[in-house]
Amino acid sequence: MNLAELSYLIASILFIVGLKRLSSPATARSGNILAAVGMGAALGGTFLVGGMANIPLIIAAIVLGTLPGWQLARTVKMTSMPQMVSLFNGMGGACALLISLSEMLKINAGTYAGLPCIAAVMMSAPIVLGIIFGAISFTGSIVAFGKLQGLITEKPVRWPLQKTLNVVLLACILYYSYGVAHYGLVSVLDSENPRVLWMAGLAMLSLILGVAQVLPIGGADMPVVISVLNSCTGLAAALTGFSMNNMAMIIAGTLVGAAGSFLTLLMCNAMNRSLANVLFGSFGGGVAAGAAAGNAGEQVMKEVSTS
């Protein structure tokens, strides 16, 4: 095990311990600090893997991310924390999308030489899925942020044949996924290879699907939406880690995806909603729960006192 792999291992352990300590208010602060230290260790491993030639670019990226992130986190009000989480989650999805696109561009004809077709497809699948989940998480999180921040109406935005169009959009994404994988396997990226067009089409369709899935959902359900999108971001990060053979990204992405999934289940139970309603975007589609209760007829109010 080299020094870079050791730093990734330390980062992964700190992520796990930090996430565990977030389960209690008494230890949440220290858990957050441990996770931050783990991210520092992961960045240190990135320095070692990137090599001296890329250190200026890495430092520039850290500065560009640290300065606005620090300022936003320091000045945000606690009541605005959900939209801040949504914004940061969207940035994670965008990173997974861009990294997956970059990894797909690196594939050449010799990458899968001599491999059976099914093995080659399985090797390219994490990249394709990273593009899809990263794009959906990015635009979906931005729309959720806009609704919570009041930049977009909190009311469900609907259009004719909404679900039908979403199904068609999903079918197009599956078709373009095949095109990206196919051209990534059979030829080298050059002027005659249409792989770039297939990649751009897949990314664009996935970005549109993220918007189309979140816009029809009311603002009151945005916390559940953010939790689902958080799971998507974690899954995208884990898939990107597989494509890059990066242990830290695989572990961290899996942790985020699993934690987001459990949080979604807990929130659904608390709101008396099923997971199917969340996954298929049918929640937030009817009248508000309070309005439905108000239409149930006159209710009798009982006074209670502390004595």
Side-chain angles (χ1 to χ4, degrees):
M1 179 182 292
N2 56 38
L3 192 57
E5 292 176 343
L6 179 61
S7 65
Y8 286 153
L9 178 60
I10 294 173
S12 301
I13 294 174
L14 290 174
F15 289 153
I16 295 172
V17 176
L19 183 61
K20 172 62 178 176
R21 294 183 70 82
L22 287 175
S23 61
S24 171
T27 58
R29 183 179 179 86
S30 61
N32 197 31
I33 294 175
L34 285 174
V37 173
M39 182 57 68
L43 289 174
T46 304
F47 272 98
L48 297 173
V49 173
M52 295 299 295
N54 295 319
I55 285 182
L57 291 176
I58 296 174
I59 294 177
I62 291 175
V63 172
L64 289 175
T66 300
L67 293 180
W70 177 276
Q71 180 65 18
L72 288 173
R74 188 177 64 86
T75 59
V76 66
K77 298 178 180 178
M78 288 304 297
T79 53
S80 300
M81 193 58 67
Q83 47 263 52
M84 179 61 62
V85 172
S86 181
L87 183 61
F88 286 165
N89 183 66
M91 295 303 101
C95 289
L97 167 63
L98 294 175
I99 294 173
S100 297
L101 289 172
S102 175
E103 289 299 309
M104 179 58 71
L105 288 174
K106 293 179 182 178
I107 293 178
N108 55 48
T111 303
Y112 301 116
L115 290 178
C117 182
I118 185 63
V121 170
M122 291 298 293
M123 291 180 65
S124 64
I127 304 178
V128 174
L129 292 175
I131 294 174
I132 296 173
F133 286 107
I136 292 175
S137 176
F138 171 57
T139 51
S141 297
I142 295 302
V143 173
F145 166 79
K147 282 179 174 283
L148 290 173
Q149 193 67 18
L151 303 176
I152 304 175
T153 176
E154 294 185 359
K155 297 180 180 179
V157 179
R158 304 192 179 282
W159 51 89
L161 300 176
Q162 171 193 322
K163 292 186 177 181
T164 302
L165 292 176
N166 283 356
V167 171
V168 172
L169 193 59
L170 181 59
C172 292
I173 288 175
L174 294 176
Y175 177 68
Y176 269 79
S177 298
Y178 164 78
V180 170
H182 173 72
Y183 286 106
L185 298 177
V186 299
S187 57
V188 182
L189 179 62
D190 54 34
S191 59
E192 298 180 357
N193 185 3
R195 178 171 49 167
V196 174
L197 297 177
W198 286 92
M199 288 171 54
L202 176 61
M204 186 60 63
L205 289 169
S206 300
L207 290 170
I208 295 173
L209 182 60
V211 175
Q213 282 294 102
V214 179
L215 272 180
I217 302 171
D221 290 322
M222 281 302 108
V224 184
V225 175
I226 293 173
S227 180
V228 175
L229 293 173
N230 188 47
S231 299
C232 289
T233 299
L235 181 58
L239 291 166
T240 304
F242 277 110
S243 64
M244 297 179 64
N245 195 26
N246 188 307
M247 179 181 63
M249 289 190 67
I250 294 174
I251 296 176
T254 303
L255 287 173
V256 172
S261 299
F262 281 118
L263 179 60
T264 300
L265 289 172
L266 293 174
M267 294 178 73
C268 288
N269 291 334
M271 297 173 66
N272 196 26
R273 296 185 184 276
S274 68
L275 181 59
N277 292 139
V278 176
L279 294 179
F280 297 106
S282 59
F283 64 111
V287 296
N295 294 330
E298 294 186 4
Q299 305 294 317
V300 177
M301 181 184 71
K302 295 182 180 180
E303 288 189 11
V304 292
S305 64
T306 57
S307 59

